[in-house]
Amino acid sequence: MTSALLPYLTTVFKFVHVSAIALWAAGLLALPVLYLQRPHTASGPDLHRLHRFVRYFYTVLFSPSAFVAIGSGIALIFLRQTFDPWFTAKLFFVAMMVLLHVLSGLMILRLFEPEGEYHFSRFIIVTVLNILVVTAILALVLGKPELRFEFPFAEAFVPGALGSFVFDHLLGDIMRPTP
């Protein structure tokens, strides 16, 4: 790919990524509101209509936007070569969005069973979690803070650490390869 095309391609992927993330985040916030309508919907056609609408929203709008957001984000990683600590933290919160997305899908399956219910306390917890995760992602992306991760075993993640551990601590000089 020519370097003259790279800025345009990056701009297109950023637009797609931000749009898909916005739709995905909106879906995460809208689904619990839809779930709250379940206890107030009588059995029969009204319940089936709500069920169809929620499943349509999840499978046709919400889930594809998540896939597009993740796919375009992966493309942007390679286009922009972003490997900063703030980006690692962002990926952690994106993983939390994925977890909330999966839990939303499981909730749809359970919610529309005959004994399905959705309590207001669950709505509050899920909505607060969704807002916190999306806000954390926005703060990390827009602020790009200088983060440092200090954790035990950091030396284990240095390139070549596995080889030195195996040969220095486990096998000793018995099986050290000769240069």
Side-chain angles (χ1 to χ4, degrees):
M1 172 181 348
T2 65
S3 60
L5 213 79
L6 192 61
Y8 299 111
L9 193 58
T10 303
T11 302
V12 168
F13 273 105
K14 276 187 180 183
F15 177 78
V16 169
H17 184 66
V18 169
S19 301
I21 286 280
L23 185 58
W24 188 18
L28 277 176
L29 293 171
L31 276 173
V33 174
L34 291 172
Y35 299 159
L36 274 180
Q37 295 182 24
R38 166 63 168 104
H40 307 294
T41 306
S43 296
D46 291 337
L47 181 62
H48 294 300
R49 189 177 9 259
L50 177 64
H51 187 195
R52 277 194 315 271
F53 178 75
V54 170
R55 286 180 68 107
Y56 179 85
F57 181 73
Y58 185 83
T59 58
V60 176
L61 297 174
F62 184 45
S63 293
S65 69
F67 282 106
V68 169
I70 291 171
S72 60
I74 290 170
L76 282 170
I77 291 171
F78 293 109
L79 287 171
R80 300 281 302 175
Q81 297 180 355
T82 308
F83 304 110
D84 296 324
W86 68 264
F87 188 72
T88 304
K90 178 206 171 211
L91 289 179
F92 170 78
F93 286 107
V94 169
M96 293 298 102
M97 274 183 83
V98 170
L99 179 65
L100 291 169
H101 182 96
V102 170
L103 292 174
S104 293
L106 293 173
M107 177 53 64
I108 292 171
L109 294 175
R110 290 184 39 224
L111 185 63
F112 290 100
E113 291 178 355
E115 66 277 352
E117 58 186 20
Y118 194 74
H119 298 287
F120 190 74
S121 60
R122 182 177 285 173
F123 166 77
I124 296 295
I125 291 168
V126 170
T127 302
V128 167
L129 279 174
N130 288 332
I131 290 171
L132 288 175
V133 167
V134 171
T135 303
I137 290 172
L138 282 173
L140 288 167
V141 170
L142 297 176
K144 293 180 180 45
E146 193 65 36
L147 299 176
R148 294 181 54 126
F149 296 117
E150 301 292 331
F151 57 95
F153 312 114
E155 64 276 357
F157 294 95
V158 174
L162 180 61
S164 64
F165 174 75
V166 168
F167 291 113
D168 293 344
H169 298 342
L170 295 180
L171 299 177
D173 290 329
I174 314 171
M175 298 185 64
R176 180 172 296 282
T178 55

